[in-house]
Amino acid sequence: MIRALATVLVSSVWAFLSKLSRVTSDRGWIRQTRLPVRVISVGNFEVGGTGKTPVVAALAREALGRGFHPVVLTRGYRGKWESTGGVIAPRQASVSGSEEIDPFQVGDEPCLLHDLVPEAWVGIGADRVASFWRVRQDAERRQLPSPDLAILDDGLQHHCLSRDVELVLMTSARPWQRVFREFPGFLRAPVLAAWTKGGSEPWGWRRFQERIRVTWGQRAPEEATGLWLVTGVAQGQQVRRSLEAAGWRVDLHHDFKDHAGFERDQVRDILEKAGSAGLKVALTGKDWVKWRALGVRRAEVEVFEPEMILDEQGRRAWSRVLWGS
């Protein structure tokens, strides 16, 4: 009870501050920047665990298929580039002359996004506007096509940047179960609400005219292999449930905090213990990019990244709101 009350209090304060920021931006009291390209924002009301990264990747892949040159503008949380800024160019694994992208430098989510959509630009840094112009300059220097579509990752509360469409991801969580940064309410740009996780209708779901249900696909096992699951994401238990629903046997689960910073000796110890127990270590894509940077080979682990699935009605709403088609 005390924890639920504390969560409600934190949610209320955070949501009030977000609402104040949104109102001041909408009324012009705080300068809002409009980029010279179309901006699609992907965000969520609650903190973490709504599936933003695979949705952003799916959106970027579709943009490429429609002939765009998209840039994903992402913060790079806990990476060095969060404060300094940086650019990952498309179709290249080169950052500052290196042949490998360091997730501890650029952030785990930007590194994963480049893995999932290598043809897209990724602009990294807390200042998304500066990131966009940094990417434009880098494109000109490399003589590559400049981005003509911006996908604003975790952009719902980034009020200083104008957007053309809001893609809002929602789960079954309530404000007393998880901290909310903003409560469902009026948003100026056209909104597509996507129910991504949970078995009960999201709180505030009926406020939105355009709504879709997202389901997730995981590959099925080819043989009966037991897994030692290691997760450093916001909803590690959800990852476990999705794997077990796909037919995998999870014998052990080591659930770290989101954006966990792993160390070489730590991951080697887990791999050795898993091998002795006859288990295969399983990782999410966000954790894999960090283990890879620590010298782990792909053959040593199973890596899982969910596939976003929409039904026919959801696909029509997705195309109508996001692409006007």
Side-chain angles (χ1 to χ4, degrees):
M1 176 64 74
I2 294 177
R3 183 174 181 179
L5 289 174
T7 302
V8 169
L9 178 61
V10 173
S11 295
S12 299
V13 172
W14 201 337
F16 172 77
L17 294 174
S18 293
K19 182 64 175 178
L20 183 63
S21 175
R22 185 178 294 279
V23 168
T24 55
S25 297
D26 289 347
R27 295 186 178 181
W29 298 344
I30 294 179
R31 181 172 176 269
Q32 234 183 11
T33 300
R34 174 161 289 281
L35 298 180
V37 299
R38 192 163 186 264
V39 176
I40 300 176
S41 169
V42 181
N44 49 277
F45 297 117
E46 63 203 73
V47 174
T50 57
K52 282 193 304 294
T53 301
V55 170
V56 167
L59 185 57
R61 281 193 295 268
E62 185 168 341
L64 287 161
R66 289 174 175 268
F68 289 98
H69 303 287
V71 56
V72 177
L73 300 176
T74 184
R75 181 177 175 181
Y77 185 63
R78 290 193 179 180
K80 294 179 181 178
W81 282 8
E82 181 181 1
S83 57
T84 63
V87 174
I88 302 177
R91 293 192 180 90
Q92 297 183 26
S94 174
V95 179
S96 302
S98 172
E99 287 304 315
E100 290 188 0
I101 296 175
D102 182 359
F104 301 103
Q105 180 180 21
V106 309
D108 50 17
E109 289 172 347
C111 191
L112 174 59
L113 284 167
H114 181 67
D115 272 16
L116 296 175
V117 200
E119 301 87 355
W121 289 94
V122 182
I124 304 163
D127 187 337
R128 310 296 215 285
V129 175
S131 289
F132 175 82
W133 292 111
R134 192 179 295 114
V135 169
R136 273 282 180 104
Q137 291 173 356
D138 199 53
E140 183 178 352
R141 180 177 62 83
R142 296 172 185 266
Q143 297 184 329
L144 293 174
S146 291
D148 50 13
L149 174 74
I151 301 171
L152 186 58
D153 177 35
D154 197 14
L156 188 62
Q157 289 78 35
H158 201 74
H159 304 139
C160 62
L161 182 58
S162 295
R163 66 287 313 276
D164 297 281
V165 182
E166 297 268 19
L167 176 56
V168 182
L169 311 185
M170 307 175 70
T171 77
S172 299
R174 299 301 191 257
W176 55 89
Q177 297 172 321
R178 197 182 302 173
V179 172
F180 274 58
R181 297 180 291 183
E182 191 165 354
F183 294 150
F186 176 77
L187 302 178
R188 172 178 285 185
V191 177
L192 177 62
W195 176 1
T196 57
K197 293 181 181 179
S200 59
E201 189 175 282
W203 183 60
W205 177 245
R206 297 287 173 177
R207 289 174 177 258
F208 302 102
Q209 181 177 355
E210 296 283 7
R211 305 186 299 266
I212 60 173
R213 183 74 163 98
V214 174
T215 56
W216 302 100
Q218 290 279 13
R219 58 186 173 88
E222 297 180 358
E223 55 185 25
T225 302
L227 299 180
W228 181 328
L229 177 62
V230 179
T231 53
V233 297
Q235 296 294 316
Q237 293 300 323
Q238 176 65 37
V239 175
R240 177 172 185 166
R241 287 192 291 270
S242 70
L243 291 179
E244 291 175 336
W248 293 89
R249 191 183 83 241
V250 179
D251 291 339
L252 291 172
H253 182 192
H254 209 148
D255 193 14
F256 293 89
K257 291 183 178 180
D258 195 14
H259 301 281
F262 297 100
E263 298 181 356
R264 192 181 304 273
D265 290 344
Q266 179 186 33
V267 303
R268 280 294 159 198
D269 182 60
I270 293 174
L271 286 168
E272 290 175 7
K273 289 179 178 177
S276 299
L279 302 175
K280 192 70 176 286
V281 172
L283 304 169
T284 67
K286 192 164 81 170
D287 296 317
W288 158 242
V289 297
K290 288 178 283 193
W291 282 48
R292 179 178 62 193
L294 296 172
V296 176
R297 293 177 291 107
R298 181 63 180 79
E300 295 181 90
V301 296
E302 292 281 356
V303 179
F304 295 94
E305 190 61 29
E307 176 191 0
M308 186 184 78
I309 301 172
L310 299 176
D311 60 18
E312 185 177 348
Q313 182 178 355
R315 175 57 63 182
R316 286 199 301 268
W318 171 280
S319 298
R320 182 173 58 251
V321 178
L322 299 183
W323 305 111
S325 60

